[in-house]
Amino acid sequence: MKKKYILLAAGAIVAGLAAWGFIEGRKELALEQERERPVKVPSRVVVQDGGTAVLFDAATQKRADIAVAPLEETTRRGEVEALATVLPPQELIDLRGAYVAVKTQAEKAHATLQASRREYDRLKALHGDEQNVSAKVLDAAEATWRGDDAVARSADAAMDAAARNARQKWGNVLAFAIVGDAPLFRRLSEQRDVLLRVAAPSGTNMTKGPAATRVSANDGTFKNATLVSASSQADPRMQGAAFFYIAPADGLLPGTTLTAYLATGAEQTGALIPAGAVVWWQGKAWLYVQSAPGHFVRRELPAAIPVEQGWFAPGALKGTQLVVRGAQTLLSEELRSQIQVGEEGK
């Protein structure tokens, strides 16, 4: 009987230990789950009438290096995007070489003509002076002179044709530079400058190119180009008016196709948006404005023109408090809030 009580007591102890272990295990599991649960950060994003706003107090703005500045009004002419092709200089150099060759032949022919004419005049004078020279010799001299005259006129025609060919292909300004070995041609042939054919879009009412234009280089910078003349040939890809421009060769490789911005139309009123104020999301450009102290609202960048300092945005934007530094931080905070709300809804 005593042995039976001992066994019952031992069983009770084992059961108690098992229950205690189970309870302690559950507590440990609960603590582990609590430790692994993500820490919720209070959202700084609120929805208001003007859209979704990110709220940063003064201390947070200072830590995040948020800077705000009012936009100032400015004016700028409208622009159209045009196709700019950097032309290799070899064709110009070849034209110059061909012209020099025919010019040399013409000069040689005229020198020969002058010599044969002088000889003919000398023999003619001798023939008239008691016929000291026979008529046969005089006739031979005349034939030589007239043959040289024909060669000289042919050389002149070839030289004129070379110049005309240059004018038809490149226009009067460039043709004059090629024929005359002008500084414009030398800068192009020595590749200190490059020649660009800038073609406006079809339907653009532009009979005269602006005196200067901006070209967006492959490295993201803008190059200033100066008008040379109108082009006598259109670009088949654009079908609009085309113009020749010259620009410094640095960063512009022959054969590349770039975007040029041709000023056209009346001046527009707008504001200059610094490049650092623009953030990109979902393939669009955005900026943040301060709608109230500590309230920052994201706005899509209106139809803007890229400029060297950033963007020119047409419209009445004077006085708008723009976030000029730290816009990416605000966008990250806004997107983080959207992710957090989505997880809470699961």
Side-chain angles (χ1 to χ4, degrees), residues 121-136:
D121 290 341
R122 186 183 70 83
L123 294 175
K124 184 178 180 181
L126 291 174
H127 179 73
D129 185 15
E130 298 180 357
Q131 295 189 351
N132 290 327
V133 173
S134 66
K136 183 178 180 180

Side-chain angles (χ1 to χ4, degrees), residues 109-146:
H110 278 280
T112 303
L113 173 62
Q114 289 177 2
S116 62
R117 178 58 191 260
R118 285 195 300 267
E119 179 64 11
Y120 169 73
D121 290 341
R122 186 183 70 83
L123 294 175
K124 184 178 180 181
L126 291 174
H127 179 73
D129 185 15
E130 298 180 357
Q131 295 189 351
N132 290 327
V133 173
S134 66
K136 183 178 180 180
V137 172
L138 180 61
D139 290 343
E142 182 179 4
T144 300
W145 160 54
R146 294 193 182 281

Side-chain angles (χ1 to χ4, degrees), residues 87-101:
L87 302 175
Q90 191 58 49
E91 188 171 350
L92 302 179
I93 296 172
D94 291 344
L95 274 175
R96 172 64 186 169
Y99 180 79
V100 169

Side-chain angles (χ1 to χ4, degrees), residues 287-305:
L287 48 80
Y288 278 89
V289 298
Q290 184 174 247
S291 59
H295 288 59
F296 303 98
V297 181
R298 178 165 49 89
R299 295 278 184 264
E300 186 176 351
L301 184 64
I305 301 170

